[in-house]
Every structure is written in C-alpha cells, then in structure tokens.
Amino acid sequence: MKTQNVSRTVLAAGVGAVLAATALLYVPELVGQGPPRPPGPAERATIAAHAGAQASLPDLAALITDREEWLRAHPDDEASWAELGAAYTQRGARLGDVRDYPRAERALRRSLAERPAAKGNTDAQLGLAALAGARGDWKSAKEWGEQVRKADPRRWPAYPVLMDAYNGLGEYKAAQKAMETLEGLHTGAVVRARAAQTFRDRGWREDAEVAALDAVALAVTDADKAASLARLGDLAWERGEPDEALARHGTALALVRDHGPSLAGRARALTALGRTDEALRDWRAALARLPLPEYVLEAGELSESLGLDGDARALYERLRTGTWAGGEVTLALLDADHGNAAAAVTRMRAEWARGHRSVRAADALGWALYRSGKTAEALGYAKLATEEGLRSALFSYHRGEIERALEERGPARRHLTEALRINPYFSPLLAPKATEAVTALGEPPDELPKELRPEPETPRREGSGGTTGTSSTLARPAAR
C-alpha cells in the first residue's frame, strides 16, 4: 500500500531507459540551410530518450504517432518496431493503461520477426524485458534482460530492467550487483534514481535522500525532474514527514501540472496533516490521471476512515473488477482486509509459486495467512518482509499484529511501536489500530524475561573461605 511508491517511479524510469536504448536520433540535413529549426515533439522525445530522460507525455505520444506513420510505409524496419514497442510500454507504465501493453508486445514481436534475436536484435529483447517488468512478470523480465546482458554486457539500459526483475524475484544480491555495474557504465539522473531505490531498500535513508537529490539536480526535462521530486516526496513521506512530502510533491506539480505520482503523494501528505477534503480531491485527480491499483486501495481506505462507506465500497469494487498489470499484491491486501482472506491466500500462494518473492509479496502472503486464521505460518513470511532491510511501517505493523495474536507480547510491542516510529501516518485505517494495539499491550514488565535472568548464586558454607549469600563487593572490579 504505502511502501512501493518510490519503486513505481523508478520502474517508469527503467522503462524510459529502454526507450533510450532503442530510440533513433533524427538529424535533419541542415547544412547550408541557415539556423536549424527547433526540434518537434517527436524529436524532443527522441532527444530526451538519448539522454536517458523521460519525455513529456505529449512528446511521447507524438513519437508514437510518428513511428506508426513511418512503419505503415516501411514495415520491414525492425529498429522502428522496437522503438515503437518501447514507447508503448513507457506510455502504459506512466499512464497506468494496460491497453498499451498488447500493442507493445505486437510491435516488439514484429521487430524480432524482421530481425531475430540470433542476428543481434537486442533492442526488441530489451523492450520485451521492460514490458514483462511492467506487467509484473519478473521471471520473463529476468530471462529477456539476461539475454541482452550476455549479448552486450556494456548495454547500460539493461541493468535498470534487470534490477526491477531481481527485486521482484527477491534476488536482492543480484540487484545490488546490477546496480554496481550500472554505476560503472553510465551516469545521470537514471543512475542516481536507481541508487536512491537501492539505498532505500537496504534501509539507508540518508543515502537514499542524497542520491534522490542528485537525481533532481541531473534531470534534464520537466518530466524527469518531476519524477525525481516525486521520489524525494515519497522518501519524506516514508520517514513520517508530511510537510516535507507536501513541499516536494507541490514543486513537482508546478513543473508537470497533472503528474500522477505527485498527486497521489500530495494526497497522502494532506491526509496526514488533517486536510482530508483536499486529500480526497487529489486522490480523485490522481486516479483520473494514473489509476494504479495501490492508489485505488489507498483512496478507498481514506474514504472508509472518514465514514464515507459508499465511496469506499465503490473504490474497492473498482479495484476488484478492473484489469491491472502487476496488481496481485494490492488485490491480496484488498481481499485480506476488505473481502475474502482465503482468496487472498490463494492469490499470493500462486504469486509465490511464480517466483514473485519480493518483500512486498512476503508481507502480503503473511498478512493474508494471518487474516485467514493461519497465524503460525504467517509469522515466517512477516519475518522475511521485515528482515531484508527496507524500513516499512506497514510491514512492521503487520508483523506486530501477527506476533500479538501469537501472544508474543514483547516482539509485538516492539514492532507495533516501530511502525509508528517509522511513520505515524502510514495508513488512515491502520495507524490508529497500531496505536490502540500498543496501548492494549501496555508497558513492558520491569523484570527481565526468564531466559535473560541471571542464575542465582549458590550460598557458600561458613568456613569455606567466603561469605554466606551474595555481596555487593562481588560486582566491584578488582583493585589495581
């Protein structure tokens, strides 16, 4: 729910990196024709892609139109098919519109038909890796990405896509190694954004903040700068600093008026600050602009927390009946908290079997098991979610409630308190429940747990060279 917003913006940046790898550079023949004309929208999108930056959505749409027209006259141009597929994927990811993904797959497969992978068509392979990642198919994303890396180890756009795949599969050491390779091959906003994600996932919040600030400074387009500012806003939110988050997202929205991640981020910050009417307004705008499943769930839970049960039910139904890419974790959390917990378990067991073993998947499976009454089994998954490094208030809350149900009062108190320490505003529904749970657990006992108590000393008999019982002198250091 609240923990993956940074990775969402980073995923869009990774898809953009693929477009950078496949884009064709328009260089009109202007020698002797006077000053060069300003680049048009399609050219601007291509120039941004070559810089590893996000183009504006209107420019991206113009690039798609340009490539579609070109390919009607030149259907054997495999490079343009790959570029078109990458552009479709990026647009779908940035708009939350899954209808672009079948278009992307058709274009990329056509590119491979014109020039197979065996003949060096790494552009199409890389595009298919990014498309699989956008769909949440991390296993396929890894397979395609590793084929590209094997064919060309210095092709830097492959590494952001591989990082997404490794993180989705829970292969965090491989993701870290890919990050190190990327830093040796390329610089710029994309790389610093990836570094921010890596540091965040390891719990290094200060380092993540510095890397995200670097990404803002290095951004070359308004779209790229807005994405970097949204990342900073999400990091502030996760630290429980809603004022800072509000300022960061506000700056992003001044650059890109309808920037979806920043509308959602501002809605969260406004909720924490008690400005719920404004938060509801921003959630409506965010869902109109970028209808991601996690946004629908968060908006529904805000409505429920305010007693707007009809609005909440409508949003939950929208989530249940919609078509989503990579929304299994969110749908499981919806069922676990607002529907059929047994169905949530079935859904997440299937995801786990598919190889989706990220901390998000572990947390969702553990919570679904707990909500369906399988509390002992749930704890193992909750531990996987909380012990990898990411500092998530939601994950800590889930683990604390599971431990409380198992009557592990000390660990439960520690993790519930930690959730509120990480971010006291992490959920309008669950943060108050965390506070109630900590209160119900009460203060920790004065005495140590039995396993930590010192063994009592055996009294010595008189005449044995010592004293009977214990003495405070036993704790003193020897005289020098």
Side-chain angles (χ1 to χ4, degrees):
M1 290 198 284
K2 311 298 185 295
T3 62
Q4 295 301 314
N5 303 301
V6 172
S7 60
R8 275 285 180 183
T9 53
V10 169
L11 173 60
V15 174
V18 174
L19 183 58
T22 59
L24 301 175
L25 185 60
Y26 299 90
V27 185
E29 295 295 335
L30 297 173
V31 177
Q33 299 181 22
R37 63 175 177 80
E43 293 167 304
R44 287 198 300 266
T46 304
I47 291 167
H50 273 276
Q54 287 190 25
S56 71
L57 284 167
D59 288 355
L60 183 61
L63 176 61
I64 288 172
T65 299
D66 181 273
R67 294 294 84 193
E68 287 173 337
E69 292 177 356
W70 170 264
L71 285 163
R72 278 192 284 271
H74 306 85
D76 58 346
D77 184 351
E78 82 282 351
S80 288
W81 282 115
E83 184 183 13
L84 179 61
Y88 279 141
T89 301
Q90 183 179 161
R91 186 173 68 177
R94 289 173 60 185
L95 290 176
D97 189 350
V98 298
R99 293 173 298 178
D100 266 330
Y101 295 156
R103 299 182 186 119
E105 182 162 10
R106 287 193 295 270
L108 293 163
R109 297 288 183 186
R110 178 60 183 272
S111 178
L112 284 175
E114 296 297 334
R115 185 186 180 197
K119 294 186 177 180
N121 191 353
T122 54
D123 286 350
Q125 291 175 284
L126 187 53
L128 286 165
L131 175 61
R135 286 171 159 169
D137 182 358
W138 306 119
K139 183 178 179 181
S140 295
K142 174 184 172 180
E143 290 172 354
W144 284 113
E146 288 187 341
Q147 286 181 40
V148 175
R149 183 179 62 184
K150 183 178 180 180
D152 186 358
R154 298 192 61 80
R155 193 174 177 83
W156 73 264
Y159 293 92
V161 178
L162 280 170
M163 288 176 66
D164 284 332
Y166 293 142
N167 285 326
L169 294 168
E171 299 176 8
Y172 294 106
K173 290 183 179 178
Q176 173 65 25
K177 186 175 180 180
M179 178 71 240
E180 293 167 359
T181 304
L182 175 61
E183 288 182 310
L185 294 174
H186 194 64
T187 59
V190 170
V191 177
R192 297 311 291 158
R194 287 287 164 175
Q197 181 197 21
T198 299
F199 294 143
R200 167 188 174 267
D201 291 347
R202 298 183 72 177
W204 300 351
R205 289 182 159 188
E206 293 80 5
D207 298 283
E209 178 81 3
V210 170
L213 283 167
D214 289 344
V216 173
L218 293 168
V220 297
T221 67
D222 284 350
D224 223 16
K225 194 174 287 289
S228 298
L229 285 163
R231 190 171 300 111
L232 275 172
D234 289 338
L235 289 170
W237 164 255
E238 291 174 1
R239 295 193 304 269
E241 298 175 2
D243 288 305
E244 177 70 14
L246 188 64
R248 298 295 192 185
H249 289 302
T251 305
L253 288 164
L255 292 168
V256 179
R257 183 171 54 86
D258 57 351
H259 190 247
S262 288
L263 286 167
R266 191 168 69 178
R268 294 187 199 99
L270 289 167
T271 299
L273 295 170
R275 296 160 59 180
T276 52
D277 287 344
E278 296 170 81
L280 289 169
R281 176 206 65 198
D282 273 356
W283 273 126
R284 286 191 291 271
L287 292 177
R289 173 65 177 74
L290 183 59
L292 297 178
E294 56 264 41
Y295 292 176
V296 180
L297 181 56
E298 290 185 66
E301 290 188 339
L302 173 59
S303 294
E304 184 177 340
S305 74
L306 296 173
L308 304 173
D309 294 340
D311 292 344
R313 283 194 298 271
L315 286 162
Y316 296 154
E317 186 62 19
R318 176 180 176 180
L319 184 52
R320 287 191 181 95
T321 58
T323 301
W324 311 103
E328 296 302 311
V329 166
T330 303
L331 290 166
L333 292 173
L334 171 70
D335 275 339
D337 284 327
H338 311 285
N340 185 337
V345 171
T346 300
R347 182 185 297 277
M348 287 313 303
R349 285 200 195 279
E351 278 296 287
W352 200 259
R354 284 206 313 151
H356 185 180
R357 300 189 177 185
S358 68
V359 289
R360 289 185 70 220
D363 169 73
L365 178 51
W367 188 242
L369 287 164
Y370 160 72
R371 294 287 289 177
S372 66
K374 298 178 173 64
T375 310
E377 185 182 0
L379 184 57
Y381 291 101
K383 288 180 177 179
L384 284 175
T386 52
E387 293 178 357
E388 184 60 42
L390 175 66
R391 298 191 65 196
S392 164
L394 181 66
F395 295 179
S396 292
Y397 167 74
H398 284 166
R399 178 171 176 176
E401 286 288 39
I402 293 167
E403 289 166 334
R404 188 161 72 111
L406 292 170
E407 298 186 358
E408 297 185 8
R409 296 175 64 85
R413 185 185 297 106
R414 182 170 68 253
H415 288 110
L416 289 166
T417 302
E418 182 182 27
L420 295 168
R421 185 183 303 117
I422 292 170
N423 182 0
Y425 317 104
F426 70 93
S427 164
L429 275 183
L430 302 181
K433 292 182 179 181
T435 301
E436 292 170 6
V438 171
T439 301
L441 286 167
E443 295 296 323
D446 292 334
E447 64 181 11
L448 290 170
K450 181 178 179 180
E451 61 271 16
L452 297 180
R453 296 175 199 166
E455 292 290 332
E457 294 192 24
T458 303
R460 297 182 182 180
R461 291 178 297 173
E462 292 185 9
S464 64
T467 59
T468 303
T470 59
S471 168
S472 61
T473 59
L474 295 175
R476 295 174 188 162
R480 292 179 181 269

